[in-house]
Amino acid sequence: MGPITAPSLAYTALSPLLFVFGAAAVGVLVEAFAPRAVRHPVQVALALVGTIGALVATLLLAGTEEVTAGGALAVDGAALFLQGTIAIFGALSVLLFSERAVDPARSAFVAVAAVPAGSVRDRELVTSTRVQTEVYPLASFALGGMMLFTASNDLLIMFVALEVLSLPLYLLCGLARRRRLLSQEAAVKYFLLGAFASAFFLYGLALVYGATGSVQLSAIRDAGVTEGGGTLLVLGMALLVVGLMFKASVAPFHTWTPDVYQGAPTAVTAFMAAATKVAAFGAVLRLLYVAFGTAEWTWRPLVYGLAIVSMLVGAVLGLTQTDLKRMLAYSSIAHAGFLLTGVIGLGPGDSGYGLAATMFYLLTYGLTTLGAFALLTLVRDGDGEATHLSQWAGLAQRSPVVAALMAFFLLALAGIPLTSGFTGKFAVFRAAIEDGAWPLVVIGLVASAIAAFYYLRVVVLMYFSPAAPDGPTVGVPGLPTTIVLAITAAATLVLGILPGAVLDLAQSAAVLVG
Amino acid sequence: MSINNYLVLAAVLFTIGAVGVLVRRNAIVVFMCVELMLNSVNLTLVTFARTTGTLDGQLIAFFVMVVAAAEVVVGLAIIMSVYRTRRSASVDDVNLLKY
């Protein structure tokens, strides 16, 4: 056996990843060595430099098509588009994390996570102005893992990236300053179910490796072409899809979603809802299109079924929710189903519109949902955020701006024309119809109609119900949340009216190498 | 001895782990069942490395061990923080979030 040679790394093509991971690593050092007083501004600046640097790098790299790191990473149009999307969501989430004007305690994150909830020391810390800064390196590591996930051209790298993105998220979920029991419960549930799902992914990896003798996506495709399917390969593929669908919160692997979305700090929920979904679907697209693109018959029925179940579960169970965060979680499950209709639209010989449509939908859905969760942080009562539906009754009289923005975001989630939700849904449904999957689109339209009911119910409640005398107060957002709301609202409107430029960008970026 | 026996053993271990996650009530035991699943995957990987005549499987097994170790750190930290508040590690007791 010869000596092991180091694989060549294309550092330029990997610069978006290096920015984010660099910011995370430096953030850990800052946490260790910088005095407490300066940590918060330094960490926020560092995380923003990492994410915005990564965004600029993906824009400069546009058009690159390269397989690097010994075939383990593919830097292509799809990877760069999704990495750029994740970087945008990351920057907006970091701004939400850094909001200090809304909560009287000046931060949404617990000051010292190791102090037991409800203890004397914990009650002292609730009102202290001490601020948690470890969330920024954690978020940067999670972002780095997500960006690696979308570029992984190898099942092993995909598994490592899955864990790099998941482990910091488990911790972030448990760090709420108020309602700590709920937050910790969310972390436990997310962790146990996430570890369970990644074990399935790993077993799928092992079976695919046994069937093909390699974990590289291109080698799996070649082996599938020459040797046909084989039970082992199909079984392995199904287990891999289960692991990924869990992360994408597709029903029936969605059970963690409502609990975790409700319990986690709202800024973290926004981050998970927007960025994790992009990363998970990036990996789904790469796995199905690159490794199993020539064996479409193996995964089409599976994805078809999952899309139907997810759309219906998200739409129907969302109707019964009384908590806004839970309702948005079910909305996220329904949207995962809509995204899968785009995944179906692969088209014969890779000619389909599905890849571009799914990428565009991920961008529009993420921006809208970030805006909606950002608004949830503003409406508060003495106990923290007021997320129960009844507390939002008559909000339009108390705060017309917040009510109008919320109504706009909810209409976008429902897919009403002139919002980005409509153009995104139109794109994925078109992709599915062009590929002959019209029954799926019919079910999608029915699910949209059902889901529209619960979005509109909130709008009606805000505008046409009398306000309760002891209703919640609406906080005045500081600069970071204002920026997030402005960007997400503007993007939701512009992508709804003039989506052409971004759709063209997604279409030209719809390239998968490897 | 046929090499298939190793694969069958690994599949049995994986199933025991998966059933354990579903039926056990203590968070630590649930977590141990997940670890059992990961280790059965390691056995599968090493067996397949032998049958396919490639080294990748053995290499991946090392990666799985490292990732499992990282997962233990994060998982036990979360379970500990819940235990310190509630004096219980039962997953039936974490039931504030539902419906």
Side-chain angles (χ1 to χ4, degrees):
Chain A
M1 204 171 288
I4 297 170
T5 50
S8 72
L9 285 172
Y11 287 104
T12 329
L14 298 181
S15 55
L17 288 168
L18 296 177
F19 260 107
V20 176
F21 278 125
V26 176
V28 173
L29 291 177
V30 168
E31 204 57 40
F33 294 113
R36 193 182 295 279
V38 300
R39 263 187 230 160
H40 189 259
V42 171
Q43 289 284 25
V44 174
L46 204 56
L48 284 177
V49 166
T51 47
I52 294 172
L55 175 63
V56 172
T58 55
L59 293 175
L60 292 177
L61 282 169
T64 311
E65 283 177 32
E66 199 168 349
V67 176
T68 183
L73 291 171
V75 181
D76 49 23
L80 288 171
F81 185 91
L82 295 173
Q83 284 181 346
T85 310
I86 291 170
I88 295 172
F89 296 162
L92 294 175
S93 306
V94 166
L95 285 174
L96 279 185
F97 287 5
S98 70
E99 175 62 61
R100 305 199 67 185
V102 175
D103 196 296
R106 314 260 292 141
S107 170
F109 295 100
V110 65
V112 184
V115 173
S119 63
V120 179
R121 178 89 181 109
D122 186 47
R123 280 195 287 278
E124 286 166 22
L125 282 170
V126 166
T127 49
S128 90
T129 54
R130 224 168 117 179
V131 59
Q132 163 79 271
T133 49
E134 284 153 13
V135 292
Y136 301 102
L138 284 173
S140 293
F141 274 120
L143 277 168
M146 291 169 187
M147 291 165 72
L148 189 62
F149 209 32
T150 61
S152 48
N153 194 33
D154 178 317
L155 291 180
L156 174 60
I157 296 294
M158 213 177 254
F159 170 67
V160 173
L162 176 71
E163 294 295 326
V164 172
L165 86 86
S166 302
L167 295 179
L169 276 182
Y170 301 148
L171 292 174
L172 283 173
C173 284
L175 292 180
R177 183 177 283 251
R178 291 161 192 283
R179 303 189 178 131
R180 285 189 63 198
L181 285 180
L182 293 187
S183 175
Q184 290 178 347
E185 181 176 329
V188 171
K189 286 180 172 171
Y190 194 19
F191 169 72
L192 288 177
L193 292 173
F196 190 48
S198 62
F200 278 99
F201 181 88
L202 205 55
Y203 199 53
L205 179 155
L207 295 185
V208 169
Y209 168 64
T212 63
S214 174
V215 285
Q216 240 172 51
L217 299 187
S218 51
I220 294 167
R221 179 187 54 209
D222 297 342
V225 169
T226 50
E227 296 158 25
T231 324
L232 214 51
L233 187 62
V234 175
L235 199 60
M237 187 272 303
L239 287 174
L240 288 173
V241 169
V242 168
L244 293 178
M245 291 302 169
F246 173 87
K247 273 288 154 221
S249 66
V250 170
F253 314 109
H254 67 286
T255 41
W256 60 278
T257 315
D259 286 357
V260 175
Y261 276 27
Q262 188 187 358
T266 306
V268 175
T269 311
F271 179 50
M272 284 195 295
T276 314
K277 198 148 252 149
V278 180
F281 271 94
V284 167
L285 286 167
R286 195 171 287 280
L287 180 76
L288 295 182
Y289 284 18
V290 176
F292 297 98
T294 50
E296 226 191 302
W297 54 271
T298 53
W299 56 263
R300 252 183 101 85
L302 182 67
V303 173
Y304 214 98
L306 289 175
I308 293 174
V309 173
S310 200
M311 286 189 288
L312 291 180
V313 164
V316 173
L317 290 185
L319 290 175
T320 62
Q321 300 308 315
T322 52
D323 185 283
L324 271 167
K325 275 168 97 177
R326 272 185 107 74
M327 195 198 89
L328 287 176
Y330 279 101
S331 144
S332 149
I333 296 164
H335 281 278
F338 297 136
L339 279 159
L340 283 181
T341 61
V343 174
I344 282 283
L346 168 64
D350 250 357
S351 61
Y353 184 58
L355 182 56
T358 313
M359 293 197 303
F360 179 75
Y361 196 109
L362 284 167
L363 178 67
T364 59
Y365 168 72
L367 286 167
T368 309
T369 202
L370 262 172
F373 279 113
L375 280 175
L376 285 187
T377 62
L378 297 181
V379 181
R380 318 180 65 90
D381 59 15
D383 196 27
E385 285 149 15
T387 54
H388 198 272
L389 264 183
S390 62
Q391 291 170 298
W392 282 62
L395 195 79
Q397 295 140 38
R398 197 168 283 134
S399 176
V401 179
V402 168
L405 272 177
M406 193 66 187
F408 179 57
F409 286 131
L410 289 173
L411 291 177
L413 288 174
I416 305 292
L418 296 184
T419 63
S420 63
F422 175 75
T423 44
K425 233 173 229 171
F426 185 79
V428 289
F429 285 169
R430 190 185 122 193
I433 284 183
E434 281 180 4
D435 211 46
W438 61 266
L440 201 57
V441 174
V442 172
I443 295 171
L445 290 172
V446 171
S448 305
I450 301 171
F453 173 76
Y454 62 74
Y455 298 125
L456 292 176
R457 186 177 57 182
V458 181
V459 177
V460 170
L461 200 65
M462 286 192 299
Y463 279 92
F464 302 113
S465 292
D470 57 342
T473 55
V474 178
V476 178
L479 185 62
T481 307
T482 313
I483 295 174
V484 172
L485 287 174
I487 291 178
T488 51
T492 305
L493 185 66
V494 170
L495 291 177
I497 297 171
L498 298 164
V502 180
L503 268 174
D504 288 346
L505 183 68
Q507 187 67 55
S508 63
V511 182
L512 285 165
V513 300
Chain B
M1 196 163 79
S2 159
I3 204 137
N4 270 335
N5 293 347
Y6 293 96
L7 295 178
V8 172
L9 173 66
V12 169
L13 286 176
F14 189 85
T15 314
I16 292 173
V19 172
V21 170
L22 298 175
V23 302
R24 295 307 294 260
R25 285 290 160 257
N26 188 303
I28 303 279
V29 180
V30 171
F31 188 38
M32 281 161 64
C33 290
V34 172
E35 294 293 310
L36 183 63
M37 292 167 78
L38 294 184
N39 282 316
S40 78
V41 171
N42 279 348
L43 184 57
T44 315
L45 283 167
V46 175
T47 314
F48 279 137
R50 174 113 180 147
T51 58
T52 59
T54 50
L55 272 180
D56 298 27
Q58 300 187 14
L59 186 87
I60 296 169
F62 281 113
F63 273 83
V64 175
M65 285 180 210
V66 174
V67 167
E71 216 168 51
V72 168
V73 174
V74 169
L76 287 186
I78 293 172
I79 295 171
M80 264 300 288
S81 68
V82 171
Y83 177 78
R84 282 162 57 133
T85 311
R86 298 167 182 266
R87 292 284 145 202
S88 152
S90 167
V91 286
D92 282 346
D93 290 345
V94 282
N95 57 1
L96 295 172
L97 290 163
K98 49 189 164 190
Y99 312 121

